[in-house]
Amino acid sequence: MSLDDINTVLTVILGKSQEWHTDWKLWIGLILWLGVISKWVRHGYEGIYWLKATYTIGYDLTILHLVQHFGKTGLHMSFATLLFQTIVSTYVFWKPRDLAKSKSFTASSLYEDIGGSVLQVHFLFVGQLSLLLMYFCALFRAADTETRNYVHWVVAYFAVQMSSFFNRGSDSQLGQVWDGALWQEVMNSADKVNFSCTVFGGKVKTFRVSRGHMISRGLMGFIVNSIFREALAFTVPVMLMLVSDPFEFVGSCLALNFIVTLDDMEAKEYLVVDASPSLPLVDGFTDVQGKLPEAASTYSPSGCNAGTVVPGQLQDSNEPEELV
């Protein structure tokens, strides 16, 4: 049996119905999708794989129905539901942080790297935004074509979403979701405390960051690693369904995640130390090479640590649980 034969069979099952309200994909999809969401809202997210798989196939079926019956308008409707889903997911996955207790946080994204270049972060955001807009333009353009390869749609669910995207933790090909709870705590600490970390050359630099700068980083991080990440993850089956060539399909599978992982970086720890009015604000740094801030008891050239805390291994871990 060839791929064309399999696609013919799947077209009978997944193809467009005569009337939108008689389409089983819409009603089954909504039941599965909203059913799992309601469970997570009431009981919390537990990282159960089969629930994530049920949730994903339900939402995929809903988006497929919208695209089949309403075309570009259906894509706009899908993005509206994706925004709703992002808000609900942020609430479900919210895990309060306490920087006053942990005295440190780990940055795994350039948007969280508060000691890094401000210009670089804005260049990064413009670059990711540009690539994502190109992706969405290609998606809307492809929606006008007659190509509907349901083999690709099914494979995208199994091989891309449920194998490389979801329930993979930090190994997810989409990178980690934006940790809003952590960033809220970091923003609340801005203008009140100093931050410290080891930089190039083994120097320890202590500095203060303005609240406005924190808000800017938080907005960019949330837009890319929550809103756009969610949109990319759940439009992949439809996008790949509109690809006719199997080789192009494989290449697209490997390339799509690149967009939202451009900001990923090696884990870097920042210490939270007592404020000092003599330290400069925002972009300025004060070198304290040869002595450590009050919060730290030892110093290792490989990174910052506080007490028994070592890079990548916090006493009170601020790393989120499986959020994808």
Side-chain angles (χ1 to χ4, degrees):
M1 181 178 286
S2 66
L3 288 177
D4 290 337
D5 294 332
I6 298 174
N7 188 58
T8 300
V9 174
L10 289 176
T11 300
V12 175
I13 301 172
L14 297 172
K16 181 179 178 181
S17 62
Q18 292 294 328
E19 301 290 338
W20 72 266
H21 55 82
T22 63
D23 191 353
W24 68 271
K25 297 188 294 296
L26 173 64
W27 307 114
I28 297 297
L30 286 175
I31 290 171
L32 296 177
W33 175 49
L34 295 177
V36 176
I37 284 182
S38 65
K39 182 185 186 305
W40 286 343
V41 170
R42 288 182 288 113
H43 303 292
Y45 183 78
E46 299 172 337
I48 300 174
Y49 184 80
W50 72 264
L51 277 177
K52 187 69 177 186
T54 302
Y55 166 84
T56 302
I57 191 62
Y59 197 33
D60 286 349
L61 288 170
T62 303
I63 293 178
L64 177 60
H65 162 84
L66 292 174
V67 172
Q68 286 176 330
H69 286 272
F70 304 104
K72 290 183 177 179
T73 302
L75 283 174
H76 285 113
M77 296 166 66
S78 298
F79 287 127
T81 61
L82 280 164
L83 182 59
F84 162 77
Q85 177 174 272
T86 302
I87 295 171
V88 174
S89 297
T90 301
Y91 168 77
V92 168
F93 299 138
W94 194 269
K95 183 182 178 182
R97 303 285 189 266
D98 187 358
L99 285 182
K101 181 180 179 181
S102 65
K103 291 293 185 182
S104 62
F105 75 93
T106 302
S108 58
S109 164
L110 285 174
Y111 296 116
E112 297 173 334
D113 187 17
I114 58 177
S117 169
V118 177
L119 181 62
Q120 181 183 18
V121 168
H122 286 86
F123 270 58
L124 171 67
F125 181 70
V126 171
Q128 287 181 296
L129 183 62
S130 300
L131 290 173
L132 284 162
L133 290 176
M134 290 182 182
Y135 168 80
F136 295 139
C137 286
L139 181 61
F140 275 91
R141 183 176 299 175
D144 285 336
T145 67
E146 297 299 321
T147 302
R148 296 290 186 274
N149 194 316
Y150 294 106
V151 173
H152 291 175
W153 187 89
V154 172
V155 173
Y157 170 70
F158 285 101
V160 181
Q161 289 180 310
M162 298 314 304
S163 295
S164 66
F165 282 1
F166 301 136
N167 274 58
R168 293 293 305 274
S170 59
D171 292 329
S172 171
Q173 294 301 303
L174 287 174
Q176 294 190 23
V177 70
W178 184 253
D179 191 350
L182 170 62
W183 204 250
Q184 181 191 49
E185 186 71 8
V186 173
M187 286 193 301
N188 289 339
S189 301
D191 295 330
K192 300 177 183 177
V193 301
N194 297 326
F195 297 93
S196 177
C197 194
T198 306
V199 296
F200 180 78
K203 292 183 179 180
V204 175
K205 293 208 170 185
T206 303
F207 56 95
R208 198 150 45 105
V209 185
S210 71
R211 186 176 179 84
H213 181 58
M214 292 291 201
I215 292 174
S216 174
R217 283 181 176 270
L219 284 174
M220 290 186 289
F222 179 75
I223 289 171
V224 171
N225 290 318
S226 283
I227 298 177
F228 286 156
R229 181 183 189 275
E230 200 86 349
L232 181 65
F234 286 98
T235 56
V236 160
V238 170
M239 180 63 175
L240 295 179
M241 176 187 72
L242 303 174
V243 174
S244 58
D245 181 64
F247 185 77
E248 183 181 351
F249 167 82
V250 174
S252 298
C253 287
L254 298 174
L256 288 175
N257 64 288
F258 164 77
I259 302 174
V260 291
T261 58
L262 275 173
D263 60 292
D264 289 358
M265 56 175 274
E266 183 180 351
K268 180 178 181 181
E269 287 192 51
Y270 282 94
L271 289 177
V272 180
V273 298
D274 292 337
S276 172
S278 63
L279 290 179
L281 192 62
V282 189
D283 296 328
F285 293 90
T286 296
D287 288 336
V288 288
Q289 188 175 17
K291 71 174 186 176
L292 286 173
E294 185 178 329
S297 61
T298 58
Y299 167 66
S300 167
S302 61
C304 295
N305 51 64
T308 59
V309 178
V310 296
Q313 187 177 359
L314 298 178
Q315 288 174 319
D316 297 307
S317 176
N318 55 44
E319 288 298 320
E321 296 177 359
E322 169 56 57
L323 301 184
V324 293

